[in-house]
Amino acid sequence: MAHAERAALAEDLAALDDQQWAMPSLCGDWVVEEVVAHLTAAASIGRARWLISVVGARFDFDRHNDRRLAEHRGADPAETLERFRSIVTSTTAASGHTAAWLGEVIVHAQDIRRPLGLPRTPSVAACLEVARFFAARDFTVPSRSLIEGLRLEATDSAFATGTGPLVHGTTLALTMAMAGRHPYCDDLAGSGLPTLLSRCSPRKSAPRGED
């Protein structure tokens, strides 16, 4: 699934012009090209090197991510895209949490697509795997904490979790909201939505995680 989602994103990226590559993403202060370089970095570093990098950054995960991003960003968007294409079928990751690294691809792909108005979305099956993982624990994003005391139900899959006021919508929208992406709350509804919105404020909408 991760390989398929990377390949689909690479197809979308091939059609971008230089202005689109420089547009802000949903991921903090990163522009589109920086998000792509980050995805390349995440699929290029194993556990041992990840630990060395994190220790070298004194456990400042933003600093760690920025260093690895710079390492894998090309001299121009074309080179950045070629580097991303080279890891489409990579199985390298910093941990064995496969669903987390699938989530890395899905969330960051939508960080790019939504601001650019690109219509492609990840498969429902892939989103379901990530939604279940995000609902079960705080890992690279505080997903479980964001939905504590709420009931989430997907309208297009079997995903359902929690007890309390209801929040419902597509599996993708629920997944992105659990990742802290505030714009995706616009795609949700239910009596629990005000609570989720209060926790998923624009100021906190794009945590980079501990990738």
Side-chain angles (χ1 to χ4, degrees):
M1 287 180 177
H3 296 169
E5 296 304 332
R6 287 177 187 148
L9 178 59
E11 287 183 11
D12 287 344
L13 294 169
L16 302 188
D17 58 31
D18 287 347
Q19 184 177 3
Q20 289 172 307
W21 277 96
M23 282 185 63
S25 74
L26 297 185
C27 188
D29 297 327
W30 286 348
V31 300
V32 168
E33 186 177 2
E34 290 170 321
V35 175
V36 176
H38 170 72
L39 282 171
T40 304
S44 304
I45 189 168
R47 184 167 182 79
R49 188 162 176 243
W50 181 88
L51 286 170
I52 291 170
S53 178
V54 169
V55 171
R58 298 186 178 183
F59 296 93
D60 181 334
F61 290 101
D62 282 346
R63 186 179 184 188
H64 154 75
N65 281 331
D66 287 340
R67 285 178 171 179
R68 302 287 68 79
L69 179 159
E71 178 184 354
H72 292 277
R73 186 175 186 176
D76 55 31
E79 185 176 359
T80 300
L81 177 55
E82 283 307 305
R83 291 182 179 187
F84 177 68
R85 283 176 172 151
S86 74
I87 58 85
V88 162
T89 59
S90 171
T91 57
T92 300
S95 84
H97 295 89
T98 308
W101 307 115
L102 175 60
E104 179 90 351
V105 182
I106 286 176
V107 171
H108 286 317
Q110 296 311 115
D111 283 342
I112 291 168
R113 289 182 178 128
R114 181 120 179 176
L116 293 177
L118 302 178
R120 193 195 307 255
T121 57
S123 73
V124 174
C127 292
L128 178 58
E129 292 294 327
V130 178
R132 288 171 171 164
F133 183 84
F134 280 0
R137 72 196 73 191
D138 292 339
F139 190 63
T140 59
V141 290
S143 48
R144 188 175 183 275
S145 297
L146 280 173
I147 63 170
E148 186 175 357
L150 298 173
R151 171 72 176 174
L152 271 59
E153 293 182 3
T155 56
D156 60 348
S157 76
F159 178 69
T161 188
T163 58
L166 177 65
V167 180
H168 60 89
T170 66
T171 313
L172 174 61
L174 292 170
T175 299
M176 294 298 291
M178 285 190 283
R181 271 48 178 185
H182 184 270
Y184 277 87
C185 291
D186 293 342
D187 301 341
L188 301 173
S191 60
L193 184 56
T195 299
L196 182 60
L197 280 167
S198 71
R199 297 172 181 174
C200 187
S201 71
R203 290 177 302 169
K204 301 177 181 178
S205 64
R208 295 179 184 177
E210 300 175 4
D211 313 333

